[in-house]
Amino acid sequence: MNGISITDVSYQINDTAILRSVSFQSDAKRIAILGRNGSGKSTLSRLICGLDRPNQGVIRINDIDVYADRRAALNTVGMIFQNPDHQIIFPTVIEEMIFGLIQMGVDKTVADQRAMSYLAKFGKSEWRDRAVSTLSQGQKKLLCLMAILAMEPKVIILDEPLAALDIPTQRQLTTILQSLPQTLIYITHDTAPVQNYDVAIWLEQGQVVETGSPDTVVPRFMDEMTRIEVL
């Protein structure tokens, strides 16, 4: 099927269960995965991207097994980490921009041209040889996004993309994300950015509590978070 298909996925580290029998399917363009810290959201995002292998179950994006077929997965799904310093590998912007393309098998000259076209699209052509260490957190997140967009995936996973950003940078990045044609899977504990999403999935202690419209799921999620805070 087109879209995301997660079938009976479990994941554990040593004897600790992080995710337990998680299943859902959706071909929606905007999918929110909600949960408080420790609910398994970030682990699930890594599994959906194919970076880690589930102990049980299968994850398919547009009918591609994202862990078993890594080359196809690179063309299909990309991820923006919560902390860009955990994502960025190279010392300069252009090196970071072309790395994923070269991993996909794109010729280095073509990769350079494509990377520059995306830098130009965002008005950042002058960043080409800039040291990543001179970028702010917001600028690093934009670099990660541009590097993923240059790979032209069909699906982009966003793990708390607005975390640790000031309000003007949050607003700018939100505008960019809203304009993207790709399917977005937004991982968050903050319900505000996903109020207008198509589907919300509530994850708690590694299990799906509820799936449905944000109009239904978000109020129940917020009620539970408020109850937990009161206790």
Side-chain angles (χ1 to χ4, degrees):
M1 62 169 281
N2 284 329
I4 178 172
S5 173
I6 297 179
T7 306
D8 197 27
V9 164
S10 296
Y11 184 80
Q12 64 184 51
I13 299 175
N14 298 322
D15 294 328
T16 303
I18 311 298
L19 295 170
R20 293 177 287 177
S21 300
V22 172
S23 293
F24 60 87
Q25 287 78 38
S26 179
D27 59 1
K29 293 287 287 182
R30 296 291 185 264
I31 301 169
I33 299 180
L34 303 173
R36 55 181 171 147
N37 292 340
S39 62
K41 303 189 308 299
S42 290
T43 297
L44 182 58
S45 68
R46 290 181 61 84
L47 294 175
I48 294 171
C49 204
L51 297 175
D52 292 324
R53 182 179 189 173
N55 297 103
Q56 171 185 302
V58 177
I59 298 174
R60 292 181 177 274
I61 304 288
N62 293 348
D63 214 28
I64 292 166
D65 184 323
V66 292
Y67 187 83
D69 193 343
R70 293 302 301 139
R71 176 62 66 88
L74 285 173
N75 285 289
T76 303
V77 58
M79 179 174 169
I80 310 298
F81 288 35
Q82 181 173 345
N83 185 342
D85 293 324
H86 294 166
Q87 183 161 3
I88 294 170
I89 302 172
F90 292 94
T92 67
V93 167
I94 190 63
E95 288 174 297
E96 187 66 29
M97 288 286 296
I98 67 174
F99 173 68
L101 293 167
I102 291 172
Q103 290 291 106
M104 290 168 55
V106 176
D107 176 81
K108 189 172 182 180
T109 301
V110 176
D112 192 289
Q113 292 171 346
R114 193 188 296 182
M116 286 307 300
S117 74
Y118 275 89
L119 286 169
K121 188 175 182 178
F122 284 87
K124 304 299 182 186
S125 297
E126 74 279 6
W127 280 15
R128 177 192 167 87
D129 298 311
R130 185 166 171 178
V132 171
S133 60
T134 67
L135 300 177
S136 68
Q137 283 297 98
Q139 289 171 330
K140 287 178 182 177
K141 287 222 171 166
L142 179 58
L143 169 58
C144 291
L145 178 60
M146 290 189 295
I148 292 297
L149 289 175
M151 296 167 70
E152 300 179 350
K154 310 294 189 300
V155 177
I156 299 176
I157 301 168
L158 307 163
D159 189 359
E160 300 282 8
L162 305 182
L165 300 181
D166 60 34
I167 291 173
T169 306
Q170 285 185 7
R171 194 160 50 236
Q172 182 182 27
L173 187 56
T174 297
T175 299
I176 292 170
L177 294 175
Q178 287 174 341
S179 70
L180 295 177
Q182 283 92 345
T183 295
L184 300 184
I185 301 174
Y186 199 120
I187 314 288
T188 186
H189 68 275
D190 179 8
T191 60
V194 297
Q195 294 283 354
N196 295 321
Y197 269 44
D198 301 315
V199 177
I201 299 151
W202 172 7
L203 202 63
E204 184 69 31
Q205 295 183 341
Q207 295 180 298
V208 175
V209 176
E210 187 173 356
T211 302
S213 165
D215 291 343
T216 302
V217 177
V218 167
R220 293 178 183 171
F221 172 74
M222 292 303 297
D223 285 348
E224 179 65 9
M225 293 308 100
T226 302
R227 186 189 71 80
I228 291 169
E229 289 173 1
V230 168
L231 292 176

